[in-house]
Amino acid sequence: MDPLYIKSRFTKILPVFGIFFVLYCSEDAKSIAELTAAAKAVLDGVTAPIPVPPGDPAPPGQPVNAPDLQDSTITSFDISDPDEHSYLGLFSIQAINFNLPVHDNTTVSAFIGGQSMKLMPDNTVVNSFSHWTVTAGQLAQPGANPPALVGPSDRKLKILIVARNEFGISSKVKQVGQTHFCTGAAVLPATIGNCGTFCATATLSGDQVEFKAQKTIAQDNFEYLYIDVGAAQPISFSIPAVSLGFFEKFEPIAAGTYEAATSLNRTTFEYMCVEVSAYSFVDPPFDIDFIKGKVMIP
């Protein structure tokens, strides 16, 4: 899902004070409804580099340590609304902590984006489609929780947390994702169908996910054999994720196993799963096989 599409579905921004009020002053700051509303409000769709703010100087008497972030736990929820053709995940950072105390004006920023999002040497973040910034002092208030983030479901996403003050900068990256259409997909290696007759397989070889359709025939009097295998993206399951792999043969066709194959590079594929489909027919007599199933892409 294009971040600009997400942006078009919701209000671009609410005043920062209003967002903090929802997050910090509610009796139940963790309620999914409140987190969702606040997170949607800051969807910005920015594609230009986003500076990580350095924050104000340390107040007198407060720590002068550079930030050193601990790992954070992130939970997610499916907040899709099929009636609105909106397929989204809500990502909630449970806590943001430091190995050493930092002063209250230390900025803490969180970004969500695809696999191309990253922190650059000039302290900007590129390819983020939503972000927020608070201070360590705000996070330290009683009952405070980090704001949530929203991203498209069924996509391989990153959450980048960056803390910065005048003494240094620290960052942590977490791989995240929330399934909607990918729920229940098989993990690799996966087999769909019965390989004694007709099946599709998906296996990982290095960074390549290899898809094969295998047709086993026990007689040698067919005049024509056709097999194909393909994989489609989630959401519509009609947009190809790979080029169609096919095999055909005219007589003579000996008894045995025949296959069609195709593959995709998992490092450049942005979705969490595909729907694999395979088709074959022989003639005469005319006989058709068709199978499909969802497979996770690591």
Side-chain angles (χ1 to χ4, degrees):
M1 185 182 298
D2 188 346
L4 294 178
Y5 172 80
I6 303 173
K7 173 183 172 184
S8 70
R9 303 301 302 180
F10 306 107
T11 304
K12 182 177 180 182
I13 192 166
L14 290 178
V16 172
F17 178 79
I19 294 170
F20 288 153
F21 182 85
V22 170
L23 289 167
Y24 294 108
C25 300
S26 167
E27 291 183 358
D28 181 12
K30 285 289 188 179
S31 78
I32 295 176
E34 290 175 341
L35 288 173
T36 299
K40 286 178 178 178
V42 295
L43 285 171
D44 45 45
V46 173
T47 56
I50 302 167
V52 177
D56 293 330
Q62 291 204 0
V64 292
N65 298 313
D68 184 11
L69 285 164
Q70 297 180 6
D71 285 330
S72 294
T73 298
I74 299 174
T75 58
S76 65
F77 308 90
D78 184 7
I79 56 169
S80 299
D81 184 352
D83 290 340
E84 294 293 326
H85 305 288
S86 171
Y87 300 100
L88 299 170
L90 174 74
F91 300 90
S92 176
I93 305 169
Q94 296 304 292
I96 297 176
N97 297 308
F98 300 89
N99 289 314
L100 293 172
V102 295
H103 67 72
D104 285 350
N105 291 333
T106 301
T107 61
V108 181
S109 304
F111 304 80
I112 189 168
Q115 297 304 293
S116 62
M117 182 183 69
K118 59 183 176 180
L119 176 64
M120 303 299 287
D122 64 354
N123 295 331
T124 63
V125 174
V126 296
N127 300 324
S128 164
F129 55 77
S130 184
H131 75 285
W132 50 255
T133 296
V134 298
T135 66
Q138 288 171 319
L139 288 178
Q141 293 176 9
N145 295 292
L149 293 161
V150 165
S153 64
D154 302 314
R155 290 269 290 271
K156 299 177 184 178
L157 302 173
K158 291 178 182 177
I159 288 180
L160 170 65
I161 302 172
V162 186
R164 187 181 180 192
N165 60 25
E166 67 268 42
F167 307 110
I169 189 169
S170 177
S171 64
K172 292 287 186 180
V173 176
K174 301 281 284 190
Q175 297 287 334
V176 297
Q178 174 62 47
T179 64
H180 182 80
F181 292 105
C182 291
T183 299
V187 298
L188 300 181
T191 299
I192 304 162
N194 179 0
C195 290
T197 53
F198 184 58
C199 71
T201 63
T203 57
L204 184 62
S205 177
D207 287 330
Q208 294 295 121
V209 181
E210 299 179 345
F211 305 100
K212 294 181 180 179
Q214 297 179 338
K215 173 68 173 177
T216 300
I217 57 177
Q219 61 188 72
D220 57 8
N221 61 343
F222 292 118
E223 296 177 2
Y224 181 69
L225 167 66
Y226 174 86
I227 310 168
D228 70 33
V229 62
Q233 298 176 2
I235 298 177
S236 69
F237 289 115
S238 61
I239 302 173
V242 297
S243 57
L244 184 71
F246 68 92
F247 171 87
E248 65 177 347
K249 184 175 176 59
F250 295 88
E251 63 177 343
I253 301 172
T257 298
Y258 299 86
E259 67 180 37
T262 189
S263 66
L264 64 79
N265 188 312
R266 69 188 183 99
T267 64
T268 58
F269 187 66
E270 62 180 323
Y271 292 96
M272 297 174 67
C273 75
V274 293
E275 184 173 73
V276 181
S277 60
Y279 172 79
S280 80
F281 69 85
V282 292
D283 188 54
F286 188 74
D287 184 52
I288 294 176
D289 292 295
F290 176 74
I291 54 176
K292 65 179 181 178
K294 301 175 186 177
V295 175
M296 297 297 291
I297 304 298

